[in-house]
Amino acid sequence: MNATTEKPTGLRIADYPVRIPMQVRWSDIDMYGHVNNATYYQWFDSAINGWLLDEAGVVPHDADFIGVVGESACSFESEVRYGEEIVIGLAVGAIGTRSVTYVLAAFAGSEGRRAAFGHWVHVYVERGGSVAPIPPEIAVTLKSARADISPVNIRKLTR
């Protein structure tokens, strides 16, 4: 079984309206000497929630609603090692009434090479679990980061 991914081309850090620096920690490095793949998901999650906190004033553990991850994907392009500078590029690729698709990329080193890119879908729910509309304070913030960048296109497994 093989899964294929269509990778967008030509995306630079400048294509992303939001740019968030991240620190490569020693604990991010795996036994092969590069950043472990799960770390990219942590960076993406931290970038999104930190941005919503800073820009929309949303404190996830205090809010009446939460953005639950309904889908995520990440495609890796180059290694990142301890000591490299990382910047997460964040854009809003699509906004619905109850969900949002973020398009993200990790750029590494002083040359800003794209190390990974992915997407992250938040579905908004009330604390009780019912699906809810995107809160107005978040919707305004989301619109400020709208960009025409396609999410990762993961195709179904073939036999």
Side-chain angles (χ1 to χ4, degrees):
M1 292 198 206
N2 293 331
T4 59
T5 303
E6 287 183 16
K7 296 181 179 182
T9 58
L11 296 180
R12 304 164 322 225
I13 189 66
D15 297 326
Y16 291 81
V18 179
R19 296 170 203 104
I20 300 165
M22 293 283 172
Q23 180 67 44
V24 178
R25 303 166 306 170
W26 183 251
S27 61
D28 296 334
I29 307 302
D30 64 17
M31 64 186 273
Y32 303 109
H34 59 251
V35 171
N36 185 277
N37 60 346
T39 302
Y40 294 90
Y41 282 94
Q42 293 172 350
W43 287 341
F44 292 168
D45 191 27
S46 293
I48 292 166
N49 287 297
W51 176 67
L52 289 174
L53 174 66
D54 291 345
E55 298 299 319
V58 174
V59 180
H61 56 273
D62 291 340
D64 294 333
F65 50 83
I66 54 175
V68 175
V69 179
E71 178 179 294
S72 65
C74 187
S75 182
F76 306 98
E77 294 184 333
S78 68
E79 289 184 330
V80 174
R81 297 191 173 274
Y82 183 72
E84 287 193 281
E85 296 176 9
I86 294 293
V87 175
I88 302 300
L90 182 154
V92 172
I95 306 170
T97 56
R98 293 175 164 77
S99 66
V100 55
T101 301
Y102 298 96
V103 183
L104 305 114
F107 294 89
S110 58
E111 74 280 6
R113 78 181 180 287
R114 192 172 65 184
F117 69 97
H119 70 261
W120 197 272
V121 177
H122 269 170
V123 176
Y124 279 87
V125 298
E126 297 171 348
R127 286 283 174 184
S130 299
V131 175
I134 296 172
E137 63 271 31
I138 291 181
V140 168
T141 301
L142 296 174
K143 289 175 185 169
S144 74
R146 183 75 179 88
D148 192 22
I149 302 173
S150 298
V152 175
N153 184 13
I154 303 287
R155 295 188 185 142
K156 295 194 179 212
L157 296 174
T158 58
R159 294 179 188 224

